Amino acid sequence: MKNKEKPVLYIVIPCYNEEAVLPITEPLFKGKIDELISLGKIDEESCVLFVNDGSSDSTWDLISSCAKNDTHVKGISLSRNRGHQNALLAGLMEAKDLSDITISIDCDGQDDINAMNEMVDRYLEGYDVVYGVRSKRETDTFFKRFTAESFYRLLNWMGAEVVFNHADYRLLSKRVLNEFAEYREVNLFLRGMIPLVGFRSTSVYYERNERLAGESHYPLKKMLGLAFDGITSLSIRPIRMITGIGVLTCVLTFIGLIIALIKGNSLWIGTCLICLLLGITITAIGVVGEYVGKTYMETKHRPRYIIAERTYEED
Ligand code: UDP
Ligand code: MG
């Protein structure tokens, strides 16, 4: 059942050492809440929820003082730095019971907050997930654009379903979050996991700006780490590739062996036999890996299905 009243919106914002940008963006987020309330789209109880991800600068002091001065601003602080994805999850799980919808966004002003109006409209039309998608990446450097776009292509090729050019700017309904709470894995890659939950989803498009102040926390090393986590936590395709290489080696060397036998070349026969054994070994590793991969997926204890609607009310 959809909530008939106006929805309570929580804007969830992870912050790590953001003292330079928070004083600029905090009024913008708060202004957006006020605007959406006065437009009659969301409930008065709507809020901005900042998550302090163990910052070592004055970020938490800034958040606390904003929260003190304004009822539409709240904050939670993690015990230590846990990284963007964990901080975001903490915020979403906190907001889940307090709100009807959440919109997650970075605190650096790169994502256009005006797309939130359209996100809420889409929710009111009946969508449970609204992805914010960058329409162009002109403000990114060529290197960042190239690495990021290759990353999306690689992920999709590896079998992880991700929305092209969507990061972590998205609206989620309460029921999506309630179901998502059952995904108990430790390696988080939210943008690849949310599509697994299902429900009606759509995208809104926006232009991405430069960071308003401060510095990016995603240098190449962290970006590669995120890409690797994304692939390995969502897909066991790399293991399948090993099996594939093993089988291919076997087939090719088997053909080679037959040709060598016909020609009667003993050096060739020996070489092909060694290669064949190698192929069998690689295949065997792949097969073992397949079981390890299955076990890995099992240990996540993901829900096997999610019921979207019922013809009757649950109690
Ligand atoms: N962030 C976080 N914990 C971290 C690193 C980053 O909560 O360990 C937050 C950061 O404050 C920002 C968002 O995650 O709100 C995205 O980080 P950033 O803007 O540095 O990444 P980029 O946009 O350059 O990819
Ligand atoms: Mg950023």
Side-chain angles (χ1 to χ4, degrees):
M1 268 284 284
K2 272 261 142 78
N3 204 331
K4 290 273 187 302
E5 307 285 313
K6 285 177 201 167
V8 175
L9 166 68
Y10 267 49
I11 302 179
V12 180
I13 311 170
C15 308
Y16 175 57
N17 291 348
E18 297 285 13
E19 63 182 8
V21 83
L22 258 187
I24 307 171
T25 53
E26 187 272 336
L28 301 177
F29 292 124
K30 219 215 113 242
K32 183 50 79 179
I33 288 281
D34 293 340
E35 179 197 322
L36 290 170
I37 291 175
S38 63
L39 284 172
K41 288 182 197 280
I42 57 170
D43 192 273
E44 287 274 347
E45 278 178 33
S46 299
C47 245
V48 184
L49 177 68
F50 289 103
V51 182
N52 172 37
D53 184 17
S55 302
S56 52
D57 66 1
S58 66
T59 298
W60 182 236
D61 298 335
L62 287 169
I63 295 171
S64 322
S65 76
C66 291
K68 212 171 281 166
N69 296 330
D70 198 312
T71 50
H72 292 309
V73 178
K74 287 183 181 169
I76 56 172
S77 187
L78 303 191
S79 58
R80 53 159 293 168
N81 180 246
R82 296 288 293 122
H84 177 207
Q85 299 288 294
N86 289 305
L88 185 51
L89 181 74
L92 292 175
M93 289 301 119
E94 182 76 13
K96 165 171 84 74
D97 302 323
L98 305 167
S99 64
D100 300 302
I101 42 177
T102 58
I103 294 178
S104 51
I105 188 168
D106 293 349
C107 75
D108 56 12
Q110 283 193 279
D111 301 312
D112 181 10
I113 56 169
N114 293 318
M116 288 187 191
N117 299 46
E118 212 187 322
M119 285 182 172
V120 174
D121 289 343
R122 292 289 100 83
Y123 166 79
L124 296 171
E125 285 163 18
Y127 289 96
D128 283 279
V129 181
V130 188
Y131 299 105
V133 175
R134 294 162 206 174
S135 51
K136 23 183 167 143
R137 281 182 165 266
E138 272 160 19
T139 53
D140 280 347
T141 59
F142 171 77
F143 178 72
K144 174 104 191 182
R145 195 162 72 209
F146 177 76
T147 47
E149 291 190 350
S150 313
F151 170 49
Y152 289 105
R153 294 216 165 84
L154 181 70
L155 274 174
N156 279 305
W157 185 74
M158 283 285 180
E161 194 186 323
V162 285
V163 177
F164 194 69
N165 270 344
H166 158 71
D168 283 303
Y169 184 21
R170 73 178 84 79
L171 177 147
L172 297 174
S173 71
K174 191 187 190 86
R175 67 170 173 175
V176 170
L177 283 176
N178 281 334
E179 298 298 348
F180 189 65
E182 301 296 320
Y183 287 65
R184 306 224 171 260
E185 51 224 73
V186 178
N187 291 301
L188 290 180
F189 184 64
L190 296 172
R191 73 191 78 160
M193 292 162 68
I194 295 294
L196 297 176
V197 182
F199 296 108
R200 279 187 84 194
S201 67
T202 186
S203 299
V204 302
Y205 296 85
Y206 69 96
E207 283 177 33
R208 188 153 154 105
N209 306 315
E210 308 247 16
R211 217 173 208 284
L212 295 180
E215 303 223 320
S216 168
H217 302 94
Y218 273 99
L220 184 63
K221 191 168 150 249
K222 266 203 186 173
M223 260 182 7
L224 288 176
L226 185 69
F228 198 70
D229 272 354
I231 293 164
T232 52
S233 70
L234 290 164
S235 126
I236 51 172
R237 194 152 171 181
I239 295 173
R240 296 257 156 87
M241 282 163 62
I242 295 177
T243 319
I245 291 168
V247 171
L248 192 70
T249 315
C250 287
V251 171
L252 290 179
T253 48
F254 189 69
I255 296 169
L257 186 64
I258 291 172
I259 297 171
L261 279 171
I262 293 169
K263 295 215 170 195
N265 184 327
S266 56
L267 183 64
W268 270 38
I269 295 173
T271 313
C272 285
L273 273 175
I274 291 169
C275 286
L276 189 61
L277 283 177
L278 195 68
I280 293 170
T281 314
I282 298 173
T283 312
I285 293 173
V287 171
V288 173
E290 188 79 17
Y291 288 101
V292 177
K294 291 261 154 57
T295 316
Y296 169 61
M297 286 296 175
E298 287 291 337
T299 55
K300 290 181 193 289
H301 296 299
R302 283 180 182 168
R304 279 160 299 174
Y305 58 84
I306 294 167
I307 297 169
E309 256 155 305
R310 287 185 168 80
T311 58
Y312 56 92
E313 295 276 329
E314 263 189 301
D315 29 63

